[in-house]
Amino acid sequence: IYIIVDQTQLYKSIDQGNTWEYLSLPMYSGLQGLSVYSKNDLSLHAYKNMVTTTDGGDSWILGPTIENVWWKSTDIASPGIIIGTGTFYDSSTTKGFIYSSSDYGLSWHITDTDYENKKVIMTDDKVGYILSGRKIYKTLDSGISWKVNLAANSNEGFYQGSFLDSI
């Protein structure tokens, strides 16, 4: 079990929550999300950073600092392959983004979207979905490319989703 406390600390339990171990991180505040693939493979994202581990938090891989972003959600498709989404801000625009990484977050392939994105859900190592304010995007290739799967009517929007499998 992994848990974020006060957006600044990460704890791990290997005995079903009876005892907890504090894990030291290379980032210190703004922890927003946690994605767990296995007991050893997980990623954390904060406002501008992402870190991953392959050894249960004994060591961390710190990705680059990405300016003008607000990470909303990440998911791990398979060890090393991480998909992230959220909102990009600058002085002239606000839009969504989708980032995919095949090297534990050290480098990223970026896809812009029209609307802020809220949630990424990978149903297996290839298939995943992004929920944005007005569209649902789908990937069939581990986040390399995305296509609009469903568009909302003008008075509707998407907020949350959950999937059992990729069918």
Side-chain angles (χ1 to χ4, degrees):
I1 303 169
Y2 292 92
I3 188 169
I4 295 172
V5 177
D6 292 330
Q7 293 185 314
T8 60
Q9 302 167 27
L10 179 67
Y11 288 88
K12 169 173 103 170
S13 175
I14 58 172
D15 59 7
Q16 299 176 338
N18 291 316
T19 61
W20 293 90
E21 174 188 359
Y22 170 78
L23 299 176
S24 180
L25 295 169
M27 57 212 272
Y28 304 105
S29 67
L31 299 176
Q32 296 292 310
L34 170 66
S35 299
V36 179
Y37 183 80
S38 70
K39 69 179 184 174
N40 290 321
D41 294 289
L42 63 129
S43 68
L44 287 159
H45 65 271
Y47 300 114
K48 298 178 183 180
N49 295 99
M50 178 177 291
V51 295
T52 58
T53 183
T54 60
D55 57 15
D58 291 335
S59 63
W60 294 94
I61 301 164
L62 177 61
T65 298
I66 304 170
E67 297 296 329
N68 301 333
V69 301
W70 183 275
W71 291 96
K72 301 278 181 139
S73 176
T74 58
D75 203 1
I76 301 171
S78 62
I81 299 177
I82 303 166
I83 311 300
T85 192
T87 305
F88 171 81
Y89 301 95
D90 71 17
S91 60
S92 64
T93 188
T94 299
K95 59 185 173 181
F97 69 83
I98 302 169
Y99 282 22
S100 59
S101 174
S102 61
D103 59 4
Y104 295 94
L106 291 173
S107 64
W108 292 92
H109 172 76
I110 304 166
T111 303
D112 291 334
T113 62
D114 298 337
Y115 302 101
E116 297 180 54
N117 297 321
K118 300 172 190 246
K119 179 96 174 153
V120 58
I121 302 163
M122 295 301 295
T123 57
D124 62 32
D125 64 334
K126 301 277 186 209
V127 179
Y129 300 87
I130 300 275
L131 282 82
S132 81
R134 298 277 183 223
K135 297 178 181 177
I136 297 177
Y137 298 90
K138 182 177 183 179
T139 184
L140 298 173
D141 56 11
S142 302
I144 294 170
S145 63
W146 295 87
K147 295 192 178 189
V148 174
N149 186 256
L150 179 65
N153 294 329
S154 61
N155 294 328
E156 298 174 343
F158 302 112
Y159 184 73
Q160 189 61 264
S162 180
F163 296 85
L164 178 62
D165 56 33
S166 60
I167 296 178

